[in-house]
Amino acid sequence: MPLSQFGSGFSRLNNLKELHFQSCYLKRLENKTFQRFSSSLEVLTLRNCLLYFVNTEVDALLPFPNLRVIDFSGTFMHLKPALQLLNPYRYANMTTINFGRVSYPMRDSSDLPFSLTITSDIIKHLKTICVENLDLSENGIVDYEPGSLFSFDHPECLRHLSFKGNRFVLYNLEKRDEINLFLKKLYDLNI
């Protein structure tokens, strides 16, 4: 099994702004995986890494304080740990967070259920980020608790929001006030 970290030669890439992986062989995303990369990275793409379930450590993205785009779409890691990776970006401004289809029905357990109800704890890092484009599509979301999915600190930042392919009811009487308040705070959102 390859190590999930990079050698010392990568520390010489001081001007690196973007790092892209497609259909990669990855089992772990550890706190030390990217420690040798420059902190100047602004775009990280890890797309369609489906061969194995990717186990993540919460501070794996800590070496990239200037990240503006995170695209992990189609990478098999589950939405809950993917959202925990946002811990270093609390109160930051980001252009894009794409966690579309990171959960798969074949990985269904009590701690990482495919049929997922979004709670305030799951969303605690994301809600603080001023993000323009957010994609949480096709992740088995079946419901959300009040004070979670639509309780962004900066909803005015959102321009594009995608929940396609999930199975929750967007608007119901129980959550009407929360949705109405959220919608009033938006400016130019495309859903």
Side-chain angles (χ1 to χ4, degrees), residues 52-55 76-79 81 102-115 139:
Y52 295 101
F53 180 79
V54 180
N55 289 299
F76 186 25
M77 64 174 47
H78 198 278
L79 186 58
V102 295
S103 296
Y104 289 83
M106 67 182 113
R107 174 69 184 221
D108 187 27
S109 64
S110 59
D111 59 327
L112 297 175
F114 178 69
S115 295
N139 280 303

Side-chain angles (χ1 to χ4, degrees), residues 36-159:
R36 297 225 167 102
F37 280 90
S38 167
S39 63
S40 64
L41 197 77
E42 296 175 1
V43 177
L44 179 60
T45 300
L46 187 66
R47 299 187 77 185
N48 298 316
C49 299
L50 295 169
L51 192 57
Y52 295 101
F53 180 79
V54 180
N55 289 299
T56 61
E57 291 183 0
V58 71
D59 287 329
L61 302 181
L62 197 58
F64 304 131
N66 298 310
L67 215 53
R68 297 293 168 253
V69 174
I70 300 173
D71 183 353
F72 286 1
S73 60
T75 293
F76 186 25
M77 64 174 47
H78 198 278
L79 186 58
K80 280 175 69 174
L83 290 169
Q84 294 307 306
L85 289 171
L86 298 175
N87 179 44
Y89 308 105
R90 291 177 60 83
Y91 309 105
N93 294 324
M94 300 191 81
T95 306
T96 299
I97 298 172
N98 186 350
F99 288 153
R101 198 167 190 216
V102 295
S103 296
Y104 289 83
M106 67 182 113
R107 174 69 184 221
D108 187 27
S109 64
S110 59
D111 59 327
L112 297 175
F114 178 69
S115 295
L116 182 64
T117 297
I118 298 295
T119 65
S120 57
D121 187 57
I122 291 171
I123 213 87
K124 67 184 173 189
H125 305 306
L126 174 62
K127 73 175 278 176
T128 68
I129 299 171
C130 178
V131 60
E132 293 177 26
N133 308 298
L134 177 60
D135 187 340
L136 300 178
S137 62
E138 301 181 55
N139 280 303
I141 300 172
V142 295
D143 200 2
Y144 58 96
E145 292 180 355
S148 64
L149 196 55
F150 296 101
S151 64
F152 291 92
D153 292 352
H154 301 284
E156 70 278 2
C157 297
L158 285 166
R159 297 292 173 261

Side-chain angles (χ1 to χ4, degrees), residues 158-169:
L158 285 166
R159 297 292 173 261
H160 302 277
L161 179 61
S162 179
F163 294 123
K164 73 177 183 177
N166 288 298
R167 300 172 293 166
F168 66 93
V169 176

